[in-house]
Amino acid sequence: MRIIRGKDYQEVSRITARLIAAQVLLKPESVLGLATGGSPVGTYANLVEAYRRGELDFSRVRTVNLDEYVGLGPEHPQSYAYYMRRNLFDHVNLDPGSTFLPDGLAQDAGEACARYDRLLESLGGQDLQLLGLGGNGHIGFNEPGDAFLLPTHRVALTESTISANARFFESREEVPRWAYTMGIRGILAARRIVMVATGIAKAQAVYDVFFGPVTPQVPGSILQLHPDVTLVGDPEALSLTPAENR
Ligand code: GLP
């Protein structure tokens, strides 16, 4: 695992965007695994800027997102489909037919999850998977206690995740209680993983994920077993890691 330190959110975002840009430049038909939440917003903004400067071409890129809330359709402003359009898809030359998220409105949850896994397989896995990190160590919506190595599945969100994500909704009551998430199995299939983590609220989770025991109680800790993981963090998020990283 590599740790790259940026001095603040802006620098972390620039560094993370550069890693993704390099991936697309080296392999224009890359499959990018994408994440939502507050952490990658700056990364996407930097990618959009690079595209506008003419440095990046997304026309052959395909994207697969980690997760989606159950019950929210793509027009719902808090859906992850909407988030992706607002932050990235609408501003670059990605083919809308090449961007994929779990279907929050699927009637048959089992079939929706199986379909997403078939899609991942048909794309050949992600060349690069971008991840945020939940304060409780979750990645995607793989919550603590889920067995490792699940495929795409429907998950009940924990109270701490509902509280953490309530800031994006008008009230806590509006936060969906369920989500579809790519499983750990799908995440680990990525050839490279880049995690972005900033702020003091992530410090304990960063420590637990990368320096604690590998346990389903800390879902991200399985990343310790992946051969190519880069963590891009600010000094606050890295504040509990061994001194040489801070
Ligand atoms: C949500 C998402 C995760 C994300 C996490 C952290 O629960 N499903 O993919 O990593 O939040 O979000 P933030 O970056 O806003 O702290």
Side-chain angles (χ1 to χ4, degrees):
M1 192 242 319
R2 268 186 304 276
I3 297 185
I4 304 178
R5 190 169 61 90
K7 68 177 189 316
D8 53 21
Y9 181 82
Q10 280 69 28
E11 194 176 53
V12 164
S13 299
R14 277 197 300 275
I15 294 167
T16 309
R18 272 208 294 269
L19 296 175
I20 297 171
Q23 173 66 46
V24 173
L25 286 171
L26 288 171
K27 185 179 176 189
E29 69 284 13
S30 286
V31 176
L32 298 180
L34 299 178
T36 52
S39 304
V41 169
T43 299
Y44 295 141
N46 277 275
L47 287 174
V48 170
E49 280 171 31
Y51 169 73
R52 288 188 176 142
R53 287 195 301 266
E55 295 166 10
L56 277 180
D57 174 14
F58 289 91
S59 61
R60 292 163 66 196
V61 169
R62 286 146 309 151
T63 69
V64 275
N65 262 78
L66 286 169
D67 43 20
E68 181 59 284
Y69 288 114
V70 169
L72 300 194
E75 298 312 323
H76 191 291
Q78 262 65 50
S79 72
Y80 287 160
Y82 191 97
Y83 168 108
M84 289 310 305
R85 293 204 306 280
R86 190 180 57 218
N87 287 294
L88 183 67
F89 297 167
D90 281 354
H91 310 292
V92 299
N93 65 335
L94 270 163
D95 172 359
S98 298
T99 63
F100 304 98
L101 291 96
D103 175 6
L105 296 180
Q107 297 293 324
D108 179 338
E111 168 51 22
C113 293
R115 196 169 351 114
Y116 208 63
D117 282 328
R118 285 197 298 274
L119 168 76
L120 286 177
E121 208 166 305
S122 72
L123 292 171
Q126 310 89 306
D127 291 294
L128 184 155
Q129 175 67 55
L130 177 63
L131 293 178
L133 178 62
N136 61 3
H138 75 239
I139 50 177
F141 268 133
N142 292 275
E143 293 279 34
D146 283 11
F148 278 150
L149 296 185
L150 288 178
T152 299
H153 59 287
R154 195 171 71 138
V155 58
L157 302 181
T158 62
E159 290 301 319
S160 75
T161 297
I162 292 167
S163 299
N165 289 354
R167 67 190 194 279
F168 298 113
F169 292 79
E170 301 233 317
S171 70
R172 193 177 189 281
E173 286 56 54
E174 282 181 30
V175 184
R177 270 35 186 177
W178 296 84
Y180 292 118
T181 185
M182 190 189 290
I184 298 283
R185 184 191 294 262
I187 293 171
L188 286 186
R191 285 176 274 289
R192 294 172 66 198
I193 294 178
V194 176
M195 176 182 281
V196 53
T198 56
I200 199 68
K202 298 293 170 70
Q204 187 64 49
V206 164
Y207 176 82
D208 292 342
V209 162
F210 293 104
F211 300 95
V214 176
T215 161
Q217 288 307 315
V218 181
S221 64
I222 192 102
L223 298 177
Q224 292 179 36
L225 307 184
H226 191 281
D228 192 342
V229 178
T230 303
L231 166 66
V232 190
D234 70 353
E236 290 185 340
L238 300 179
S239 58
L240 299 179
T241 65
E244 65 270 22
N245 306 309
R246 291 186 241 142

